[in-house]
Amino acid sequence: MTLSNLIVFLFLLLVAILYRHFANKFNIIDNPNERSSHTIPTVRGGGILFPVAVILWWVSFDFLNTWMVLGLVWISVVSMLDDMFTLSRKLRFGVQFLAISMAFYDLGVFDQKAWWVLPILYFVALGIINAINFMDGINGITGLYGLVFFGSLLAIHEYMPVFDENLIQYIVLAILVFLIFNLRKKAFMFAGDIGSISLAYLMIYFLVQWYLASNNWTIILFLLVYGADSFITLGQRLIRGENVSQPHRTHLYQIFANQLKKDHVLISLVFAVIQIGVNVIFFIYPQSYPTSIVAAVILIATALIYLMIKFPLIKRYQVFEK
């Protein structure tokens, strides 16, 4: 059984409307605090659309990639509970590790890669999950970045058909529906942990699938913009001896939103446009990959540009001052 994209879109739109009603009724609300970038209570957990879309694809296409889907269900359920309550970090980490293991098993990672590669893959995967979760802080940023990521994968699929095109299309439709409620000055819904973490899980799945097919690490540039803001900010907080598991407002996008008072949607669009520029210039247009040297230069140059922008703002607004 296959469903047309229009039917899938309308079904997911209905799910979003029903979920918003349910969340308001049961108080699944993100209330602003001193570390928030929003000012009004907003429904949390709208990213439930992403696992729903994948499950719909799974049912529609003869239950393919069941281990990956089971991992997604595990990680989404725990993330949803974390949106509603506060779960221990050990439980969240354990479920993330289990879900990633299921995705790796589904892809055949354990059969294709040497044992010493596995810790590296787990480290990168867990880092991506938590980085994307921390980056989900202003309207549109996660949805637009996810749209750029999966839309670019569809373009890559045209010359390197290693992905399931239908699965990517279902995910893109879920993101588009979510953006209807999120990409606005006053969002109707936030993705919540279930949204950012499930989307990160799916990104990891496709990146690892791509890596197994190409054996090229430079594909990590697909996460260049998020990676720069996430990992450089993490490094700065570690140097300062801060508790990196606690919420904060020291990402560059947060400084733009909170100190510079820039529009959330504009910031999200700029981040997305920069990333799609990287994807087009280095992957989609040449239909190849940047060399390791070129990729290393891009990473270093991005870090330097990022710091050149951020350091003056940190000094001006005393962002890290307690």
Side-chain angles (χ1 to χ4, degrees):
M1 177 184 69
T2 59
L3 301 173
S4 72
N5 287 341
L6 177 60
I7 293 175
V8 173
F9 180 86
L10 293 175
F11 175 79
L12 292 172
L13 183 60
L14 176 61
V15 170
I17 294 170
L18 293 175
Y19 175 77
R20 187 164 180 256
H21 174 76
F22 171 87
N24 277 311
K25 182 177 180 180
F26 291 93
N27 199 36
I28 308 176
I29 303 295
D30 196 329
N31 292 301
N33 55 45
E34 70 279 2
R35 296 186 181 275
S36 302
S37 296
H38 64 287
T39 57
I40 59 174
T42 307
V43 166
R44 179 172 52 193
I48 193 173
L49 292 168
F50 309 145
V52 167
V54 174
I55 292 171
L56 184 61
W57 164 84
W58 182 65
V59 172
S60 301
F61 290 91
D62 298 324
F63 308 102
L64 297 171
N65 305 106
T66 297
W67 282 104
M68 178 274 288
V69 176
L70 287 175
L72 179 64
V73 170
W74 269 106
I75 207 169
S76 298
V77 168
V78 170
S79 298
M80 186 74 236
L81 291 174
D82 199 37
D83 280 327
M84 299 170 67
F85 314 102
T86 301
L87 303 181
S88 72
R89 281 185 293 166
K90 290 182 179 179
L91 175 60
R92 297 198 308 268
F93 179 83
V95 171
Q96 289 172 12
F97 186 89
L98 174 63
I100 290 170
S101 299
M102 290 180 172
F104 285 179
Y105 180 79
D106 187 87
L107 291 168
V109 171
F110 302 117
D111 296 326
Q112 298 182 52
K113 291 297 176 182
W115 65 268
W116 59 268
V117 177
L118 297 179
I120 299 173
L121 290 177
Y122 274 105
F123 178 79
V124 172
L126 290 168
I128 291 173
I129 284 178
N130 288 282
I132 291 177
N133 190 31
F134 284 142
M135 285 291 290
D136 181 36
I138 61 173
N139 302 350
I141 195 163
T142 293
L144 283 175
Y145 205 81
L147 191 62
V148 167
F149 181 92
F150 290 103
S152 297
L153 282 188
L154 286 175
I156 298 294
H157 183 75
E158 291 298 314
Y159 71 87
M160 188 177 183
V162 298
F163 310 115
D164 188 305
E165 187 176 17
N166 293 302
L167 174 56
I168 298 175
Q169 288 175 353
Y170 274 49
I171 296 169
V172 167
L173 290 171
I175 294 172
L176 289 173
V177 171
F178 172 69
L179 286 173
I180 293 174
F181 296 85
N182 182 255
L183 187 63
R184 50 181 68 232
K185 187 171 184 179
K186 293 184 178 180
F188 292 157
M189 285 196 306
F190 292 151
D193 284 353
I194 185 174
S196 57
I197 291 178
S198 64
L199 203 62
Y201 174 85
L202 292 167
M203 289 178 176
I204 291 164
Y205 182 81
F206 283 103
L207 280 175
V208 173
Q209 185 178 36
W210 193 6
Y211 173 68
L212 293 175
S214 66
N215 202 32
N216 195 319
W217 69 268
T218 63
I219 61 175
I220 200 66
L221 294 181
F222 255 55
L223 298 177
L224 179 66
V225 178
Y226 256 37
D229 206 358
S230 297
F231 290 106
I232 294 177
T233 300
L234 174 63
Q236 291 173 318
R237 298 188 71 205
L238 287 172
I239 291 171
R240 290 178 53 83
E242 297 181 9
N243 183 347
V244 296
S245 66
Q246 294 301 314
H248 63 98
R249 299 175 68 175
T250 56
H251 283 116
L252 182 58
Y253 79 86
Q254 291 172 314
I255 297 173
F256 283 143
N258 300 316
Q259 276 74 28
L260 297 179
K261 306 300 181 183
K262 299 299 182 181
D263 182 73
H264 289 199
V265 173
L266 176 62
I267 298 168
S268 300
L269 284 170
V270 169
F271 272 55
V273 168
I274 293 172
Q275 184 61 64
I276 199 169
V278 171
N279 297 352
V280 169
I281 293 170
F282 295 104
F283 296 93
I284 296 172
Y285 179 74
Q287 296 190 356
S288 61
Y289 308 93
T291 65
S292 295
I293 294 176
V294 170
V297 170
I298 293 169
L299 290 172
I300 294 170
T302 300
L304 291 175
I305 293 170
Y306 176 90
L307 292 172
M308 288 172 62
I309 295 171
K310 191 174 185 181
F311 274 157
L313 295 176
I314 290 174
K315 184 177 181 180
R316 178 180 177 183
Y317 294 102
Q318 298 182 329
V319 174
F320 284 105
E321 291 293 321
K322 295 183 180 181

